[in-house]
Amino acid sequence: GSGIAMAFADAGFPVALVDAAPEGLARGEGLIEAAYASQVRRGRLGAEEAQARRARVTGGTDLGALGDADLIVEAVFEDMGLK
């Protein structure tokens, strides 16, 4: 889900990244942070723009954060029982 979140943030949309487990949320946020940092290091993105994009992504473990969402993308890993 981190890549999907980044795609929307890159396009200028606010993103609520929600995971039921705090560990999963931390992992997703860490992947996003690392990806933006890598883009800055490689000169593909300015530090200010990376920070602005990262700021568009908020995280939480409460589905209530999605209450005002216009679009929800489900990106749970491929576990049909969970889906």
Side-chain angles (χ1 to χ4, degrees), residues 2 6 12 17-18 30 34 38-39 43 46 51 58 68 73 79:
S2 59
M6 286 181 66
L17 187 65
V18 177
S38 175
Q39 290 180 19
Q51 183 179 19
T58 58
D68 292 330
V73 177
D79 178 341

Side-chain angles (χ1 to χ4, degrees), residues 3-81:
I4 296 168
M6 286 181 66
F8 280 101
D10 291 352
F13 294 99
V15 177
L17 187 65
V18 177
D19 195 300
E23 300 82 14
L25 177 62
R27 181 177 182 276
E29 290 178 320
L31 289 170
I32 292 169
E33 192 68 40
Y36 282 133
S38 175
Q39 290 180 19
V40 170
R41 276 192 311 276
R42 293 182 303 182
R44 292 185 161 192
L45 192 61
E48 285 185 22
E49 180 60 22
Q51 183 179 19
R53 292 178 186 191
R54 177 63 184 96
R56 290 185 196 116
V57 181
T58 58
T61 56
D62 181 4
L63 290 177
L66 306 176
D68 292 330
D70 293 323
L71 174 70
I72 297 173
V73 177
E74 175 271 329
V76 69
F77 54 88
E78 294 303 316
D79 178 341
M80 294 311 289

